[in-house]
Amino acid sequence: VAGALIPAFAIWLLGWFFEKIRHKEYLGLGDVKMIAMMGAFLGISGVIVTLLLGSLLGSIGGFAWIRITRKDPATYYLPFATFLGAGALIVVAAHGGITGWYEQLLR
């Protein structure tokens, strides 16, 4: 339960703050629900690594996609859930190797 609620609330809060500051919606509730589901299956450490990998993949992939298609970065919305899904697949495929490495790094 904690693996689902804590990361989902943190992502929702982050999106709420961005919306209040920038007056635009940056994270939808779909991202929050997806993180909750991933947290329920992967646990807190797994969902943290998923968020890190998803953000990294989204940054690199999004930058490349915006450059290739010549979109305006200020107005183009990149779907974050796609990269979260890819990050979760990497975490699951690694059989805990990534999360184990990350937990050791935190100690």
mmCIF file with all atom_site columns, all heavy atoms in Angstrom, residues 36-61:
data_model
loop_
_atom_site.group_PDB
_atom_site.id
_atom_site.type_symbol
_atom_site.label_atom_id
_atom_site.label_alt_id
_atom_site.label_comp_id
_atom_site.label_asym_id
_atom_site.label_entity_id
_atom_site.label_seq_id
_atom_site.pdbx_PDB_ins_code
_atom_site.Cartn_x
_atom_site.Cartn_y
_atom_site.Cartn_z
_atom_site.occupancy
_atom_site.B_iso_or_equiv
_atom_site.pdbx_formal_charge
_atom_site.auth_seq_id
_atom_site.auth_comp_id
_atom_site.auth_asym_id
_atom_site.auth_atom_id
_atom_site.pdbx_PDB_model_num
ATOM 1   N N   . ALA A 1 36 ? 1.006  4.835  -9.169  1.00 0.00 ? 36 ALA A N   1
ATOM 2   C CA  . ALA A 1 36 ? 0.404  4.073  -8.074  1.00 0.00 ? 36 ALA A CA  1
ATOM 3   C C   . ALA A 1 36 ? 0.397  2.578  -8.397  1.00 0.00 ? 36 ALA A C   1
ATOM 4   O O   . ALA A 1 36 ? 0.736  1.749  -7.549  1.00 0.00 ? 36 ALA A O   1
ATOM 5   C CB  . ALA A 1 36 ? -1.012 4.569  -7.796  1.00 0.00 ? 36 ALA A CB  1
ATOM 6   N N   . MET A 1 37 ? 0.040  2.243  -9.619  1.00 0.00 ? 37 MET A N   1
ATOM 7   C CA  . MET A 1 37 ? 0.020  0.843  -10.029 1.00 0.00 ? 37 MET A CA  1
ATOM 8   C C   . MET A 1 37 ? 1.430  0.251  -10.019 1.00 0.00 ? 37 MET A C   1
ATOM 9   O O   . MET A 1 37 ? 1.657  -0.848 -9.526  1.00 0.00 ? 37 MET A O   1
ATOM 10  C CB  . MET A 1 37 ? -0.609 0.713  -11.421 1.00 0.00 ? 37 MET A CB  1
ATOM 11  C CG  . MET A 1 37 ? -0.789 -0.690 -11.897 1.00 0.00 ? 37 MET A CG  1
ATOM 12  S SD  . MET A 1 37 ? 0.410  -1.335 -13.092 1.00 0.00 ? 37 MET A SD  1
ATOM 13  C CE  . MET A 1 37 ? 0.830  -0.019 -14.127 1.00 0.00 ? 37 MET A CE  1
ATOM 14  N N   . MET A 1 38 ? 2.379  1.009  -10.532 1.00 0.00 ? 38 MET A N   1
ATOM 15  C CA  . MET A 1 38 ? 3.762  0.521  -10.548 1.00 0.00 ? 38 MET A CA  1
ATOM 16  C C   . MET A 1 38 ? 4.306  0.368  -9.130  1.00 0.00 ? 38 MET A C   1
ATOM 17  O O   . MET A 1 38 ? 5.023  -0.587 -8.839  1.00 0.00 ? 38 MET A O   1
ATOM 18  C CB  . MET A 1 38 ? 4.642  1.481  -11.347 1.00 0.00 ? 38 MET A CB  1
ATOM 19  C CG  . MET A 1 38 ? 4.389  1.453  -12.816 1.00 0.00 ? 38 MET A CG  1
ATOM 20  S SD  . MET A 1 38 ? 5.386  2.713  -13.613 1.00 0.00 ? 38 MET A SD  1
ATOM 21  C CE  . MET A 1 38 ? 4.883  2.478  -15.303 1.00 0.00 ? 38 MET A CE  1
ATOM 22  N N   . GLY A 1 39 ? 3.956  1.315  -8.262  1.00 0.00 ? 39 GLY A N   1
ATOM 23  C CA  . GLY A 1 39 ? 4.399  1.225  -6.874  1.00 0.00 ? 39 GLY A CA  1
ATOM 24  C C   . GLY A 1 39 ? 3.815  0.029  -6.163  1.00 0.00 ? 39 GLY A C   1
ATOM 25  O O   . GLY A 1 39 ? 4.468  -0.590 -5.326  1.00 0.00 ? 39 GLY A O   1
ATOM 26  N N   . ALA A 1 40 ? 2.571  -0.322 -6.499  1.00 0.00 ? 40 ALA A N   1
ATOM 27  C CA  . ALA A 1 40 ? 1.939  -1.496 -5.889  1.00 0.00 ? 40 ALA A CA  1
ATOM 28  C C   . ALA A 1 40 ? 2.650  -2.780 -6.305  1.00 0.00 ? 40 ALA A C   1
ATOM 29  O O   . ALA A 1 40 ? 2.763  -3.714 -5.511  1.00 0.00 ? 40 ALA A O   1
ATOM 30  C CB  . ALA A 1 40 ? 0.464  -1.555 -6.278  1.00 0.00 ? 40 ALA A CB  1
ATOM 31  N N   . PHE A 1 41 ? 3.143  -2.829 -7.532  1.00 0.00 ? 41 PHE A N   1
ATOM 32  C CA  . PHE A 1 41 ? 3.805  -4.036 -8.020  1.00 0.00 ? 41 PHE A CA  1
ATOM 33  C C   . PHE A 1 41 ? 5.304  -4.059 -7.729  1.00 0.00 ? 41 PHE A C   1
ATOM 34  O O   . PHE A 1 41 ? 5.854  -5.112 -7.438  1.00 0.00 ? 41 PHE A O   1
ATOM 35  C CB  . PHE A 1 41 ? 3.590  -4.192 -9.528  1.00 0.00 ? 41 PHE A CB  1
ATOM 36  C CG  . PHE A 1 41 ? 2.233  -4.702 -9.878  1.00 0.00 ? 41 PHE A CG  1
ATOM 37  C CD1 . PHE A 1 41 ? 1.240  -3.828 -10.275 1.00 0.00 ? 41 PHE A CD1 1
ATOM 38  C CD2 . PHE A 1 41 ? 1.934  -6.046 -9.792  1.00 0.00 ? 41 PHE A CD2 1
ATOM 39  C CE1 . PHE A 1 41 ? -0.022 -4.286 -10.584 1.00 0.00 ? 41 PHE A CE1 1
ATOM 40  C CE2 . PHE A 1 41 ? 0.676  -6.519 -10.097 1.00 0.00 ? 41 PHE A CE2 1
ATOM 41  C CZ  . PHE A 1 41 ? -0.310 -5.631 -10.495 1.00 0.00 ? 41 PHE A CZ  1
ATOM 42  N N   . LEU A 1 42 ? 5.952  -2.912 -7.809  1.00 0.00 ? 42 LEU A N   1
ATOM 43  C CA  . LEU A 1 42 ? 7.413  -2.873 -7.698  1.00 0.00 ? 42 LEU A CA  1
ATOM 44  C C   . LEU A 1 42 ? 7.913  -2.477 -6.320  1.00 0.00 ? 42 LEU A C   1
ATOM 45  O O   . LEU A 1 42 ? 9.089  -2.664 -6.024  1.00 0.00 ? 42 LEU A O   1
ATOM 46  C CB  . LEU A 1 42 ? 7.992  -1.902 -8.738  1.00 0.00 ? 42 LEU A CB  1
ATOM 47  C CG  . LEU A 1 42 ? 7.701  -2.214 -10.196 1.00 0.00 ? 42 LEU A CG  1
ATOM 48  C CD1 . LEU A 1 42 ? 8.215  -1.095 -11.084 1.00 0.00 ? 42 LEU A CD1 1
ATOM 49  C CD2 . LEU A 1 42 ? 8.309  -3.541 -10.601 1.00 0.00 ? 42 LEU A CD2 1
ATOM 50  N N   . GLY A 1 43 ? 7.054  -1.884 -5.495  1.00 0.00 ? 43 GLY A N   1
ATOM 51  C CA  . GLY A 1 43 ? 7.485  -1.405 -4.189  1.00 0.00 ? 43 GLY A CA  1
ATOM 52  C C   . GLY A 1 43 ? 8.117  -0.025 -4.301  1.00 0.00 ? 43 GLY A C   1
ATOM 53  O O   . GLY A 1 43 ? 8.288  0.512  -5.388  1.00 0.00 ? 43 GLY A O   1
ATOM 54  N N   . ILE A 1 44 ? 8.457  0.517  -3.153  1.00 0.00 ? 44 ILE A N   1
ATOM 55  C CA  . ILE A 1 44 ? 8.999  1.890  -3.129  1.00 0.00 ? 44 ILE A CA  1
ATOM 56  C C   . ILE A 1 44 ? 10.321 1.978  -3.884  1.00 0.00 ? 44 ILE A C   1
ATOM 57  O O   . ILE A 1 44 ? 10.513 2.872  -4.695  1.00 0.00 ? 44 ILE A O   1
ATOM 58  C CB  . ILE A 1 44 ? 9.185  2.364  -1.669  1.00 0.00 ? 44 ILE A CB  1
ATOM 59  C CG1 . ILE A 1 44 ? 7.846  2.445  -0.984  1.00 0.00 ? 44 ILE A CG1 1
ATOM 60  C CG2 . ILE A 1 44 ? 9.954  3.663  -1.615  1.00 0.00 ? 44 ILE A CG2 1
ATOM 61  C CD1 . ILE A 1 44 ? 7.353  3.792  -0.621  1.00 0.00 ? 44 ILE A CD1 1
ATOM 62  N N   . SER A 1 45 ? 11.249 1.077  -3.608  1.00 0.00 ? 45 SER A N   1
ATOM 63  C CA  . SER A 1 45 ? 12.552 1.165  -4.267  1.00 0.00 ? 45 SER A CA  1
ATOM 64  C C   . SER A 1 45 ? 12.424 0.953  -5.773  1.00 0.00 ? 45 SER A C   1
ATOM 65  O O   . SER A 1 45 ? 13.090 1.629  -6.557  1.00 0.00 ? 45 SER A O   1
ATOM 66  C CB  . SER A 1 45 ? 13.537 0.165  -3.668  1.00 0.00 ? 45 SER A CB  1
ATOM 67  O OG  . SER A 1 45 ? 13.068 -1.158 -3.844  1.00 0.00 ? 45 SER A OG  1
ATOM 68  N N   . GLY A 1 46 ? 11.552 0.039  -6.187  1.00 0.00 ? 46 GLY A N   1
ATOM 69  C CA  . GLY A 1 46 ? 11.355 -0.197 -7.616  1.00 0.00 ? 46 GLY A CA  1
ATOM 70  C C   . GLY A 1 46 ? 10.735 0.985  -8.332  1.00 0.00 ? 46 GLY A C   1
ATOM 71  O O   . GLY A 1 46 ? 11.116 1.322  -9.449  1.00 0.00 ? 46 GLY A O   1
ATOM 72  N N   . VAL A 1 47 ? 9.789  1.649  -7.677  1.00 0.00 ? 47 VAL A N   1
ATOM 73  C CA  . VAL A 1 47 ? 9.140  2.782  -8.321  1.00 0.00 ? 47 VAL A CA  1
ATOM 74  C C   . VAL A 1 47 ? 10.059 4.002  -8.333  1.00 0.00 ? 47 VAL A C   1
ATOM 75  O O   . VAL A 1 47 ? 10.000 4.815  -9.267  1.00 0.00 ? 47 VAL A O   1
ATOM 76  C CB  . VAL A 1 47 ? 7.767  3.087  -7.685  1.00 0.00 ? 47 VAL A CB  1
ATOM 77  C CG1 . VAL A 1 47 ? 7.890  3.869  -6.409  1.00 0.00 ? 47 VAL A CG1 1
ATOM 78  C CG2 . VAL A 1 47 ? 6.867  3.826  -8.647  1.00 0.00 ? 47 VAL A CG2 1
ATOM 79  N N   . ILE A 1 48 ? 10.951 4.128  -7.366  1.00 0.00 ? 48 ILE A N   1
ATOM 80  C CA  . ILE A 1 48 ? 11.919 5.234  -7.395  1.00 0.00 ? 48 ILE A CA  1
ATOM 81  C C   . ILE A 1 48 ? 12.864 5.059  -8.579  1.00 0.00 ? 48 ILE A C   1
ATOM 82  O O   . ILE A 1 48 ? 13.137 6.007  -9.323  1.00 0.00 ? 48 ILE A O   1
ATOM 83  C CB  . ILE A 1 48 ? 12.694 5.327  -6.066  1.00 0.00 ? 48 ILE A CB  1
ATOM 84  C CG1 . ILE A 1 48 ? 11.763 5.846  -4.964  1.00 0.00 ? 48 ILE A CG1 1
ATOM 85  C CG2 . ILE A 1 48 ? 13.911 6.239  -6.203  1.00 0.00 ? 48 ILE A CG2 1
ATOM 86  C CD1 . ILE A 1 48 ? 12.370 5.806  -3.588  1.00 0.00 ? 48 ILE A CD1 1
ATOM 87  N N   . VAL A 1 49 ? 13.360 3.848  -8.776  1.00 0.00 ? 49 VAL A N   1
ATOM 88  C CA  . VAL A 1 49 ? 14.232 3.587  -9.923  1.00 0.00 ? 49 VAL A CA  1
ATOM 89  C C   . VAL A 1 49 ? 13.455 3.768  -11.224 1.00 0.00 ? 49 VAL A C   1
ATOM 90  O O   . VAL A 1 49 ? 13.980 4.305  -12.195 1.00 0.00 ? 49 VAL A O   1
ATOM 91  C CB  . VAL A 1 49 ? 14.856 2.179  -9.822  1.00 0.00 ? 49 VAL A CB  1
ATOM 92  C CG1 . VAL A 1 49 ? 15.667 1.857  -11.060 1.00 0.00 ? 49 VAL A CG1 1
ATOM 93  C CG2 . VAL A 1 49 ? 15.719 2.072  -8.587  1.00 0.00 ? 49 VAL A CG2 1
ATOM 94  N N   . THR A 1 50 ? 12.200 3.353  -11.237 1.00 0.00 ? 50 THR A N   1
ATOM 95  C CA  . THR A 1 50 ? 11.363 3.551  -12.418 1.00 0.00 ? 50 THR A CA  1
ATOM 96  C C   . THR A 1 50 ? 11.210 5.033  -12.737 1.00 0.00 ? 50 THR A C   1
ATOM 97  O O   . THR A 1 50 ? 11.305 5.440  -13.897 1.00 0.00 ? 50 THR A O   1
ATOM 98  C CB  . THR A 1 50 ? 9.976  2.912  -12.208 1.00 0.00 ? 50 THR A CB  1
ATOM 99  O OG1 . THR A 1 50 ? 10.137 1.506  -12.042 1.00 0.00 ? 50 THR A OG1 1
ATOM 100 C CG2 . THR A 1 50 ? 9.054  3.182  -13.372 1.00 0.00 ? 50 THR A CG2 1
ATOM 101 N N   . LEU A 1 51 ? 10.975 5.858  -11.719 1.00 0.00 ? 51 LEU A N   1
ATOM 102 C CA  . LEU A 1 51 ? 10.871 7.303  -11.934 1.00 0.00 ? 51 LEU A CA  1
ATOM 103 C C   . LEU A 1 51 ? 12.177 7.882  -12.465 1.00 0.00 ? 51 LEU A C   1
ATOM 104 O O   . LEU A 1 51 ? 12.169 8.728  -13.366 1.00 0.00 ? 51 LEU A O   1
ATOM 105 C CB  . LEU A 1 51 ? 10.473 8.009  -10.638 1.00 0.00 ? 51 LEU A CB  1
ATOM 106 C CG  . LEU A 1 51 ? 8.998  7.954  -10.282 1.00 0.00 ? 51 LEU A CG  1
ATOM 107 C CD1 . LEU A 1 51 ? 8.782  8.412  -8.849  1.00 0.00 ? 51 LEU A CD1 1
ATOM 108 C CD2 . LEU A 1 51 ? 8.204  8.817  -11.237 1.00 0.00 ? 51 LEU A CD2 1
ATOM 109 N N   . LEU A 1 52 ? 13.293 7.441  -11.910 1.00 0.00 ? 52 LEU A N   1
ATOM 110 C CA  . LEU A 1 52 ? 14.585 7.930  -12.385 1.00 0.00 ? 52 LEU A CA  1
ATOM 111 C C   . LEU A 1 52 ? 14.838 7.518  -13.833 1.00 0.00 ? 52 LEU A C   1
ATOM 112 O O   . LEU A 1 52 ? 15.233 8.346  -14.666 1.00 0.00 ? 52 LEU A O   1
ATOM 113 C CB  . LEU A 1 52 ? 15.713 7.419  -11.484 1.00 0.00 ? 52 LEU A CB  1
ATOM 114 C CG  . LEU A 1 52 ? 15.758 7.985  -10.080 1.00 0.00 ? 52 LEU A CG  1
ATOM 115 C CD1 . LEU A 1 52 ? 16.798 7.254  -9.238  1.00 0.00 ? 52 LEU A CD1 1
ATOM 116 C CD2 . LEU A 1 52 ? 16.067 9.466  -10.113 1.00 0.00 ? 52 LEU A CD2 1
ATOM 117 N N   . LEU A 1 53 ? 14.612 6.246  -14.138 1.00 0.00 ? 53 LEU A N   1
ATOM 118 C CA  . LEU A 1 53 ? 14.817 5.775  -15.507 1.00 0.00 ? 53 LEU A CA  1
ATOM 119 C C   . LEU A 1 53 ? 13.835 6.420  -16.480 1.00 0.00 ? 53 LEU A C   1
ATOM 120 O O   . LEU A 1 53 ? 14.214 6.805  -17.587 1.00 0.00 ? 53 LEU A O   1
ATOM 121 C CB  . LEU A 1 53 ? 14.696 4.254  -15.572 1.00 0.00 ? 53 LEU A CB  1
ATOM 122 C CG  . LEU A 1 53 ? 15.839 3.456  -14.979 1.00 0.00 ? 53 LEU A CG  1
ATOM 123 C CD1 . LEU A 1 53 ? 15.499 1.965  -14.964 1.00 0.00 ? 53 LEU A CD1 1
ATOM 124 C CD2 . LEU A 1 53 ? 17.108 3.702  -15.760 1.00 0.00 ? 53 LEU A CD2 1
ATOM 125 N N   . GLY A 1 54 ? 12.570 6.526  -16.076 1.00 0.00 ? 54 GLY A N   1
ATOM 126 C CA  . GLY A 1 54 ? 11.568 7.152  -16.930 1.00 0.00 ? 54 GLY A CA  1
ATOM 127 C C   . GLY A 1 54 ? 11.891 8.606  -17.213 1.00 0.00 ? 54 GLY A C   1
ATOM 128 O O   . GLY A 1 54 ? 11.739 9.088  -18.342 1.00 0.00 ? 54 GLY A O   1
ATOM 129 N N   . SER A 1 55 ? 12.371 9.310  -16.206 1.00 0.00 ? 55 SER A N   1
ATOM 130 C CA  . SER A 1 55 ? 12.754 10.710 -16.399 1.00 0.00 ? 55 SER A CA  1
ATOM 131 C C   . SER A 1 55 ? 13.963 10.830 -17.313 1.00 0.00 ? 55 SER A C   1
ATOM 132 O O   . SER A 1 55 ? 14.023 11.705 -18.178 1.00 0.00 ? 55 SER A O   1
ATOM 133 C CB  . SER A 1 55 ? 13.058 11.367 -15.056 1.00 0.00 ? 55 SER A CB  1
ATOM 134 O OG  . SER A 1 55 ? 11.912 11.375 -14.254 1.00 0.00 ? 55 SER A OG  1
ATOM 135 N N   . LEU A 1 56 ? 14.934 9.946  -17.120 1.00 0.00 ? 56 LEU A N   1
ATOM 136 C CA  . LEU A 1 56 ? 16.121 9.960  -17.975 1.00 0.00 ? 56 LEU A CA  1
ATOM 137 C C   . LEU A 1 56 ? 15.754 9.628  -19.425 1.00 0.00 ? 56 LEU A C   1
ATOM 138 O O   . LEU A 1 56 ? 16.174 10.329 -20.359 1.00 0.00 ? 56 LEU A O   1
ATOM 139 C CB  . LEU A 1 56 ? 17.156 8.974  -17.444 1.00 0.00 ? 56 LEU A CB  1
ATOM 140 C CG  . LEU A 1 56 ? 18.456 8.873  -18.224 1.00 0.00 ? 56 LEU A CG  1
ATOM 141 C CD1 . LEU A 1 56 ? 19.225 10.186 -18.120 1.00 0.00 ? 56 LEU A CD1 1
ATOM 142 C CD2 . LEU A 1 56 ? 19.306 7.731  -17.702 1.00 0.00 ? 56 LEU A CD2 1
ATOM 143 N N   . LEU A 1 57 ? 14.975 8.563  -19.603 1.00 0.00 ? 57 LEU A N   1
ATOM 144 C CA  . LEU A 1 57 ? 14.546 8.194  -20.955 1.00 0.00 ? 57 LEU A CA  1
ATOM 145 C C   . LEU A 1 57 ? 13.694 9.289  -21.592 1.00 0.00 ? 57 LEU A C   1
ATOM 146 O O   . LEU A 1 57 ? 13.831 9.568  -22.782 1.00 0.00 ? 57 LEU A O   1
ATOM 147 C CB  . LEU A 1 57 ? 13.753 6.877  -20.918 1.00 0.00 ? 57 LEU A CB  1
ATOM 148 C CG  . LEU A 1 57 ? 14.536 5.628  -20.560 1.00 0.00 ? 57 LEU A CG  1
ATOM 149 C CD1 . LEU A 1 57 ? 13.588 4.460  -20.336 1.00 0.00 ? 57 LEU A CD1 1
ATOM 150 C CD2 . LEU A 1 57 ? 15.540 5.303  -21.643 1.00 0.00 ? 57 LEU A CD2 1
ATOM 151 N N   . GLY A 1 58 ? 12.825 9.898  -20.797 1.00 0.00 ? 58 GLY A N   1
ATOM 152 C CA  . GLY A 1 58 ? 11.991 10.981 -21.306 1.00 0.00 ? 58 GLY A CA  1
ATOM 153 C C   . GLY A 1 58 ? 12.794 12.197 -21.697 1.00 0.00 ? 58 GLY A C   1
ATOM 154 O O   . GLY A 1 58 ? 12.503 12.854 -22.703 1.00 0.00 ? 58 GLY A O   1
ATOM 155 N N   . SER A 1 59 ? 13.819 12.499 -20.925 1.00 0.00 ? 59 SER A N   1
ATOM 156 C CA  . SER A 1 59 ? 14.666 13.649 -21.253 1.00 0.00 ? 59 SER A CA  1
ATOM 157 C C   . SER A 1 59 ? 15.429 13.420 -22.545 1.00 0.00 ? 59 SER A C   1
ATOM 158 O O   . SER A 1 59 ? 15.446 14.277 -23.431 1.00 0.00 ? 59 SER A O   1
ATOM 159 C CB  . SER A 1 59 ? 15.657 13.915 -20.121 1.00 0.00 ? 59 SER A CB  1
ATOM 160 O OG  . SER A 1 59 ? 14.991 14.239 -18.946 1.00 0.00 ? 59 SER A OG  1
ATOM 161 N N   . ILE A 1 60 ? 16.063 12.272 -22.644 1.00 0.00 ? 60 ILE A N   1
ATOM 162 C CA  . ILE A 1 60 ? 16.854 11.973 -23.838 1.00 0.00 ? 60 ILE A CA  1
ATOM 163 C C   . ILE A 1 60 ? 15.945 11.762 -25.049 1.00 0.00 ? 60 ILE A C   1
ATOM 164 O O   . ILE A 1 60 ? 16.158 12.350 -26.114 1.00 0.00 ? 60 ILE A O   1
ATOM 165 C CB  . ILE A 1 60 ? 17.745 10.740 -23.596 1.00 0.00 ? 60 ILE A CB  1
ATOM 166 C CG1 . ILE A 1 60 ? 18.778 11.053 -22.522 1.00 0.00 ? 60 ILE A CG1 1
ATOM 167 C CG2 . ILE A 1 60 ? 18.424 10.301 -24.883 1.00 0.00 ? 60 ILE A CG2 1
ATOM 168 C CD1 . ILE A 1 60 ? 19.531 9.854  -22.013 1.00 0.00 ? 60 ILE A CD1 1
ATOM 169 N N   . GLY A 1 61 ? 14.935 10.912 -24.879 1.00 0.00 ? 61 GLY A N   1
ATOM 170 C CA  . GLY A 1 61 ? 14.017 10.631 -25.993 1.00 0.00 ? 61 GLY A CA  1
ATOM 171 C C   . GLY A 1 61 ? 13.208 11.841 -26.402 1.00 0.00 ? 61 GLY A C   1
ATOM 172 O O   . GLY A 1 61 ? 12.987 12.090 -27.593 1.00 0.00 ? 61 GLY A O   1
#
